[in-house]
Amino acid sequence: MLQAALPEVISFPFGQIVVFLMFWSHLDDKKTLFKTSLSSYIFVGIFLMIFNILNLAILDPSITSISTFPLLRSVRLIEIADFLERLDPLIILLIYIGIFVKMTAFYLGAVLGLSSLIKISHKKTTMIVGAFIFTISFTSPNFIYHIWIGFAQNLKYHFPIFQIGLPLLLALIILIKGGRSSKSG
């Protein structure tokens, strides 16, 4: 069971918390950070669970497991009073808006992280990260290859390093430094 959960279930959607770590240091009100973050993750977790249950109930597990976008396939089956049907353009629009917001957050997180690591301005780092993203976007010849890289390579080999390994290492370093400073003080 643990083998099924690692790294797939941990990486999506909960691995994205690493991106939010980049933004937490820029917040003014640190008191509500934990409460807001926890409630947001609980809400999103319940929301995704409900949609997964609906997809499984509407489509069947065998169809859901092979579908690239099961929600889109489920929405195509909606017909209410010969009025509400063909809602797929709305769902596609919502998917694109979600992708835009998510990729913008990743881009900003990468810019903030890199600029703090190499100590150059955000403007220069924005150009460097943007040029890298633009260049690497041409490496995938088609959608199937893109999905294969994402699930077969990144999810198993790269994501655990950045979403589990490095945060645990940084937490350990913080604990060690915190322990040393409290002993010396």
Side-chain angles (χ1 to χ4, degrees):
M1 186 165 138
L2 187 61
Q3 188 179 9
L6 292 173
E8 286 90 358
V9 175
I10 299 296
S11 288
F12 180 80
F14 302 106
Q16 277 87 24
I17 197 165
V18 174
V19 175
F20 293 118
L21 291 173
M22 296 304 307
F23 304 128
W24 287 348
S25 63
H26 298 281
L27 291 176
D28 292 331
D29 185 15
K30 306 260 190 228
K31 293 178 184 176
T32 60
L33 172 68
F34 180 76
K35 184 179 166 185
T36 304
S37 299
L38 186 63
S39 60
S40 299
Y41 263 86
I42 289 171
F43 172 76
V44 169
I46 291 171
F47 185 76
L48 288 173
M49 184 178 65
I50 289 170
F51 271 101
N52 283 332
I53 290 170
L54 283 174
N55 284 331
L56 289 170
I58 293 169
L59 295 177
D60 188 59
S62 60
I63 296 173
T64 304
S65 67
I66 62 169
S67 180
T68 308
F69 298 105
L71 177 63
L72 189 58
R73 194 172 232 181
S74 296
V75 167
R76 287 184 181 153
L77 300 174
I78 294 176
E79 270 186 50
I80 301 174
D82 291 331
F83 174 69
L84 278 177
E85 50 186 56
R86 302 292 300 163
L87 295 174
D88 13 343
L90 177 66
I91 296 301
I92 291 172
L93 179 66
L94 290 174
I95 289 171
Y96 274 109
I97 290 170
I99 290 171
F100 175 76
V101 169
K102 185 175 177 177
M103 292 303 110
T104 303
F106 283 154
Y107 184 32
L108 181 58
V111 166
L112 291 174
L114 188 63
S115 67
S116 68
L117 275 176
I118 60 177
K119 306 290 187 219
I120 61 172
S121 72
H122 294 323
K123 288 182 181 181
K124 290 179 183 176
T125 315
T126 302
M127 294 300 291
I128 293 168
V129 173
F132 177 74
I133 292 171
F134 180 75
T135 304
I136 205 162
S137 69
F138 293 106
T139 60
S140 181
N142 55 40
F143 184 69
I144 300 298
Y145 183 77
H146 172 76
I147 294 296
W148 177 78
I149 290 290
F151 284 109
Q153 302 299 309
N154 288 337
L155 197 62
K156 290 182 181 171
Y157 304 113
H158 305 122
F159 289 175
I161 294 169
F162 291 104
Q163 295 176 343
I164 299 169
L166 287 178
L168 287 175
L169 178 67
L170 291 174
L172 183 66
I173 291 170
I174 290 170
L175 287 173
I176 291 170
K177 281 187 173 185
R180 284 185 191 164
S181 64
S182 64
K183 288 178 185 176
S184 63

